[in-house]
């Protein structure tokens, strides 16, 4: 069966972002970009399903600028079979991304659609759920284990207070949590091979999705700065400060 | 302007996050209704919810279908309720709210705003992005605004003596796509991590699962909750649902004690809104020292028992 994985080009998780001086957005010029860590987990899961013989083909898809080809090549180097880029220069609003992806899903007809649970830049945590609604299928968000049992996807989810197991008919949407797996590294030979794997570019407006602007970014500010703290010499001094200065115990 | 708040409850009690979501909704100043969905315990939850200050009415949907809230089952009901004239829909940015609301948004063909931390006006909101390293002000252009709110950014709505009206509503349809199989919940006598007044967290520096007892004892002395860094969870020292950070719980207690936690960007995203931060670390250069109000450079295996004794 075919597995589709949606991936996003996002800021490298180890970069500390800075807000632009004019407060219009964060500074992304010259900043290191990477495959969103949760998407990396989704790609890894798809490849493991292929290695288990459950998936026959792993297709990765991204919506975004031409630069996202770099992240698609990364996914190909990790083991995906082919890649699709829905190319657009527009701001990536979750619902619009979900609409483009649903059109791709209509064409590709995968049996499982994997997402990261959220992108670490905008932290929306929405696209997977929106796609599930748009294509009318079940969803298992925050997955920590994905199994295929009796023709259904049985997924363990991380929820507040513990974990939950749900069973979904095929096709299904699953969004991946950190605990699902440990992504592998791409080897040099695989990186070389990935350059020859098919990467198809689709102009977003040829998909016939009815997208529109839903929200406007008015500005961005840095978070409030905490005032510098003090170093205490002993536990006794710490307890004294917490009791008598901070008044929190 | 009319707001609908989607309630969450566990063990027959409204969650603290629901009360925070009500506060966020009331900040708009319009009519505010609270929707209680559930099985056999829902009427009692609704009766209790009717005492939340500021609500105009409580809508109660009791159906065995909602014993376990699957988004596939609740979305059709919520979508049809919202279409009856609500301009704003609020839910706590809990795993339930984050799971459900994007589905509702897609069904209504509107966008949604996640993890809102401030209401600027009826259409403009603030939310953190990039692991809390920037605060975005966003204007929604949609006729219906769907928001999940960060509970730690809003006070909990208070309780009053006189209840508001409770209206029973019918609805709900069972999804053919998704089925609840089982759940495993961590039981704890300690307060809920997201709403605790004090949180004591351990990181990789705890070295072993058994050593987490040191954290637990300090937490118990302070009547607080226990948290953990990703490193501690990945090493198996603590269960997943205790993780504090960008991908775990976002907390903002009065007092946050971080023991053996270096303070990676992803961890700071979950706790830097705490009122007072204490770091107990052997490394005075650890990033956590930059946000800590009080830094104790010490071996936590000596400091934690000493702290427990001193409290």
């Amino acid at each position: 069966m075919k597995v589709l994985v949606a991936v996003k080009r996002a800021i490298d998780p180890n970069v500390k972002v800075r807000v632009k001086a004019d407060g219009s957005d964060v500074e992304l010029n010259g900043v290191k970009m990477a495959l969103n860590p949760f998407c990396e987990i989704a790609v890894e899961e798809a490849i493991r399903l292929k290695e288990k013989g459950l998936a026959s083909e792993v297709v990765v898809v991204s919506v975004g600028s031409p630069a996202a080809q770099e992240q698609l090549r990364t996914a190909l180097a990790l083991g995906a079979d082919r890649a699709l880029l829905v190319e657009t220069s527009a701001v990536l609003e979750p619902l619009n991304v979900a609409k483009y992806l649903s059109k791709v899903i209509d064409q590709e007809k995968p049996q499982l659609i994997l997402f990261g649970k959220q992108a670490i830049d905008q932290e929306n945590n929405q696209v997977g759920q929106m796609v599930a609604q748009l294509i009318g299928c079940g969803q298992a968000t925050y997955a920590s284990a994905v199994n295929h049992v009796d023709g259904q996807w049985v997924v363990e989810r991380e929820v507040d207070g513990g974990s939950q197991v749900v069973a979904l008919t095929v096709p299904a949407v699953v969004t991946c949590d950190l605990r699902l797996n440990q992504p592998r590294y791409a080897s040099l030979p695989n990186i070389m091979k990935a350059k020859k794997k098919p990467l198809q570019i689709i102009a977003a407006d040829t998909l016939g999705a009815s997208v529109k602007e839903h929200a406007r970014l008015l500005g961005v500010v840095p978070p409030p700065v905490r005032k510098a703290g003090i170093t205490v010499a002993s536990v006794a001094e710490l307890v004294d400060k917490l009791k008598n200065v901070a008044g929190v115990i | 302007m009319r707001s609908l708040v989607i309630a969450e409850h566990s063990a027959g009690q409204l969650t603290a996050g629901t009360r925070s979501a009500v506060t966020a909704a009331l900040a708009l100043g319009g009519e505010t209704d609270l929707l209680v969905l559930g099985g056999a315990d829902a009427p009692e939850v609704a009766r209790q919810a009717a005492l939340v200050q500021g609500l105009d009415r409580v809508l109660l949907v009791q159906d065995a279908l909602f014993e376990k809230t699957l988004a596939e089952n609740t979305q059709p009901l919520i979508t049809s309720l919202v279409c009856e004239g609500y301009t704003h829909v609020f839910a706590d940015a809990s795993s339930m709210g984050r799971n459900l609301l994007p589905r509702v948004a897609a069904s209504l063909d509107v966008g949604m705003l996640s993890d809102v931390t401030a209401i600027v006006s009826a259409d403009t909101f603030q939310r953190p992005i990039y692991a809390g390293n920037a605060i975005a002000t966003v204007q929604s252009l949609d006729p219906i605004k769907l928001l999940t709110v960060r509970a730690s950014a809003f006070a909990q709505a208070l309780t009053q003596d006189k209840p508001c009206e409770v209206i029973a509503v019918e609805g709900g349809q069972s999804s053919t796509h998704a089925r609840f199989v089982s759940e495993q919940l961590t039981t704890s006598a300690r307060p809920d991590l997201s709403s605790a007044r004090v949180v004591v967290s351990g990181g990789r520096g705890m070295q072993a699962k058994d050593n987490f007892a040191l954290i637990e004892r300090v937490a118990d002395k302070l009547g607080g909750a226990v948290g953990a860094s990703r490193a501690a969870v990945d090493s198996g020292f603590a269960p997943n649902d205790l993780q504090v950070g960008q991908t775990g719980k976002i907390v903002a207690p009065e007092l946050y004690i971080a023991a053996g936690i270096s303070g990676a960007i992803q961890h700071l995203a979950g706790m830097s809104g705490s009122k007072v931060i204490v770091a107990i670390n052997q490394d005075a250069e650890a990033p956590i020292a930059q946000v800590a109000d009080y830094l104790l450079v010490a071996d936590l295996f000596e400091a934690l028992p000493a702290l427990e004794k001193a409290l």
Side-chain angles (χ1 to χ4, degrees), chain A residues 38 99 121-124 126 129 137 139 141 161 163 165 167 169 179 214 216 218-219 221 226 230 232, chain B residues 72 98-99 103 109 114 127 130-131 135 137 139 141-142 179 181-182 184 186 243 272 274 293 295:
Chain A
F38 292 98
K99 284 180 176 176
D121 47 10
Q122 297 299 316
E123 300 189 87
N124 285 311
Q126 296 176 11
Q129 295 91 311
C137 76
Q139 69 186 38
T141 49
S163 66
V165 178
T169 56
R179 238 71 64 179
H214 293 280
R216 196 167 289 160
L218 300 183
V221 291
R226 293 186 73 95
I230 59 163
V232 291
Chain B
E72 293 84 346
R98 290 180 288 134
N99 187 51
R103 259 194 111 102
D109 198 24
S114 299
R127 54 180 302 267
Y130 293 89
I135 312 292
T137 303
Q139 182 183 21
L141 307 174
D142 288 315
R179 179 171 55 85
V181 177
S182 64
Q184 200 163 15
T186 320
Q243 185 178 329
S272 55
S274 306
D293 298 283
L295 169 68

Side-chain angles (χ1 to χ4, degrees), chain A residues 19 220-225, chain B residues 132-135:
Chain A
V19 170
V220 166
V221 291
V225 181
Chain B
N133 287 303
I135 312 292

Side-chain angles (χ1 to χ4, degrees), chain A residues 40 56 86:
Chain A
E40 220 177 329
S56 51
V86 176

Side-chain angles (χ1 to χ4, degrees), chain B residues 38-275:
Chain B
D41 58 346
E44 172 54 27
V45 175
R47 204 184 56 78
Q48 192 196 106
L51 296 171
V52 174
Q53 218 168 61
L55 291 178
D56 289 283
R57 55 193 79 73
V58 169
L59 311 181
L60 163 66
V61 188
Q62 186 194 356
D63 193 314
L65 186 61
F66 301 127
E67 290 278 359
K68 307 292 173 197
T69 42
L70 290 185
E72 293 84 346
N73 292 341
T74 45
Q75 172 273 320
L77 168 74
I78 291 171
T79 300
S80 70
L81 274 175
V82 172
C83 288
E84 283 169 22
Y86 290 99
T87 55
H88 294 74
V89 181
F90 290 82
D92 178 14
S94 62
S95 59
M96 192 267 237
R98 290 180 288 134
N99 187 51
L100 168 69
L101 234 54
R103 259 194 111 102
V104 176
S107 75
L108 294 165
D109 198 24
V110 299
M112 104 168 233
L113 296 172
S114 299
D115 229 359
V116 165
T117 50
I119 314 283
V120 179
S121 71
D123 68 355
T124 305
F125 310 92
Q126 286 191 334
R127 54 180 302 267
I129 52 176
Y130 293 89
N133 287 303
I135 312 292
T137 303
V138 187
Q139 182 183 21
S140 162
L141 307 174
D142 288 315
I144 303 169
K145 293 21 165 172
L146 299 188
L147 318 165
T148 57
V149 303
R150 178 171 291 192
S152 61
F154 298 91
Q156 292 181 30
L158 300 172
T159 299
Q160 61 188 13
D161 296 334
K162 198 174 161 299
C164 70
E165 188 185 2
V166 177
I167 302 167
V169 180
E170 297 279 314
Q173 59 195 68
S174 182
S175 166
T176 53
H177 303 300
R179 179 171 55 85
F180 170 85
V181 177
S182 64
E183 71 185 354
Q184 200 163 15
L185 300 179
T186 320
T187 48
S188 168
R190 296 190 185 91
D192 177 51
L193 181 56
S194 311
S195 56
R197 204 187 64 82
V198 175
V199 174
V200 188
S201 280
R204 197 196 303 275
M206 295 308 298
Q207 294 179 11
K209 186 171 190 231
D210 293 346
N211 297 335
F212 246 73
L214 300 174
I215 298 274
E216 289 166 3
R217 287 205 289 269
V218 174
D220 290 345
K221 270 278 177 85
L222 292 164
V226 172
S229 71
R230 182 186 166 189
V233 172
D234 284 350
S235 308
F237 303 169
N240 299 350
D241 59 308
L242 295 192
Q243 185 178 329
V244 172
Q246 186 185 21
T247 66
K249 302 261 170 34
I250 312 282
V251 301
E254 298 261 303
L255 172 61
Y256 188 89
I257 301 179
I261 295 178
S262 65
I265 297 172
Q266 289 78 8
H267 186 75
L268 299 182
M271 46 63 78
S272 55
S274 306
K275 190 171 160 231

